């Protein structure tokens, strides 16, 4: 297995001598723009910076400095390639799109699953775990995690809407199947642009599950086989709106395990609920020096969790959450 390094993103992956560079990148979860996969469209063009590679069309070696098509190139040694079209985590620039509302349906007492179709879907890029904003006329943008894999044909959102969530309720009220809505994406740096090289711990509170669904859907499309453990904390049983899906992942995907954390139905104290979730995570038995953590929930939950894990030995750079970006501690 040879090691392939992409510049300027710094992303890396393994490739066997018998497979082309594009197929190996796809299996590692790295999005390389491509269309035809036989070297005609030239979308997957890169330049060889270091190493030795073979052009499978003419069976000629590719010299350092020469361009190559990743779909018809196999490695003969470790390679370093220049391909500006491949972005590192969180480096895609947000753009506005007119999305068509395909479906809006209730999946719990206060959560709706929304399906959106973007024009030229193949050209709209985001990383697993990023989020978007819904822009309604005369209203401030509303932000929601993308619940689908970057390869999915439709964009999925999980929107919690109730009289207490006024802005989210306005979004649900405005979304009607068949109409268009303005969205801006992608946002967020707590995401995956390639397979992690460590076991993965996912921690979600409430609809933070949407971000974790994007990560799991994405990883299941790759060769990732390290342990993935999901903790999903909710206040009441009915708040765990897709528990059956998480249980299905556990049954179908060997690396995955799921631990639901449900608070006392009579206890509406979010602080206590967060403490319960953090205690469950700390008891999980991970080697905190060898795990990557992704957390999604309120700032209170995220910072409580981060502080506890760092104190337990987790390197702070191994903890990822969008809260650290949009609600930084002073």
């Amino acid at each position: 297995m040879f090691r392939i390094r992409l510049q300027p993103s710094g992303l890396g992956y393994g490739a066997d001598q018998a497979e082309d560079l594009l197929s190996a990148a796809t299996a590692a979860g790295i999005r390389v723009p491509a269309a035809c996969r036989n070297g005609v469209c030239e979308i997957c063009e890169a330049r060889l910076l270091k190493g030795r590679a073979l052009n499978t069309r003419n069976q000629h070696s590719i010299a350092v400095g020469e361009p190559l098509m990743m779909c018809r190139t196999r490695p003969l040694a470790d390679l370093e390639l220049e391909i500006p079209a491949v972005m590192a985590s969180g480096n895609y620039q947000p753009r506005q799109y007119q999305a068509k509302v395909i479906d809006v349906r209730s999946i719990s007492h206060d959560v709706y699953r929304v399906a959106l179709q973007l024009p030229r879907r193949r050209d709209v890029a985001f990383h697993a775990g990023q989020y978007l904003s819904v822009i309604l006329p005369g209203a401030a943008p509303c932000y929601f995690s993308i619940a689908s894999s970057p390869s999915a044909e439709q964009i999925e959102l999980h929107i919690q809407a109730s009289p207490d969530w006024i802005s989210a309720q306005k979004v649900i009220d405005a979304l009607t199947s068949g109409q268009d809505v303005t969205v801006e994406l992608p946002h967020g740096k707590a995401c995956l642009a390639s397979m992690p090289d460590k076991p993965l711990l996912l921690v979600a509170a409430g609809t933070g599950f949407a971000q974790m669904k994007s990560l799991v859907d994405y990883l299941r499309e790759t060769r990732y086989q390290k342990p993935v453990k999901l903790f999903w904390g909710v206040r009441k049983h009915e708040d765990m709106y897709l528990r059956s899906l998480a249980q299905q992942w556990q049954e179908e995907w060997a690396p995955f395990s799921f631990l639901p954390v449900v608070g006392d139905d009579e206890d509406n104290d979010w602080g206590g609920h967060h403490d319960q979730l953090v205690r469950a995570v700390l008891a999980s038995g991970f080697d905190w020096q060898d795990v990557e953590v992704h957390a999604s929930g309120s700032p209170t939950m995220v910072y409580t969790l981060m502080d506890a894990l760092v104190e337990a030995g987790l390197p702070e750079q191994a903890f990822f959450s969008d809260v650290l970006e949009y609600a930084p501690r002073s």
Side-chain angles (χ1 to χ4, degrees), residues 107-120:
I107 55 175
S108 83
H109 64 287
D110 64 353
V111 176
Y112 295 80
R113 177 187 278 169
V114 176
L116 304 175
Q117 182 67 58
L118 298 180
R120 297 180 58 85

Side-chain angles (χ1 to χ4, degrees), residues 192 200-204 212-213 215-216 219 228-232 256 281 286 292-295:
L192 293 177
L200 202 58
L201 173 61
L202 309 178
V203 184
M212 304 311 157
K213 179 180 179 297
L215 297 178
V216 172
L219 288 172
V228 180
K229 190 158 192 173
L230 169 65
F231 287 81
W232 187 4
F256 182 82
V281 173
F286 272 102
E292 182 171 312
V293 180
H294 288 254

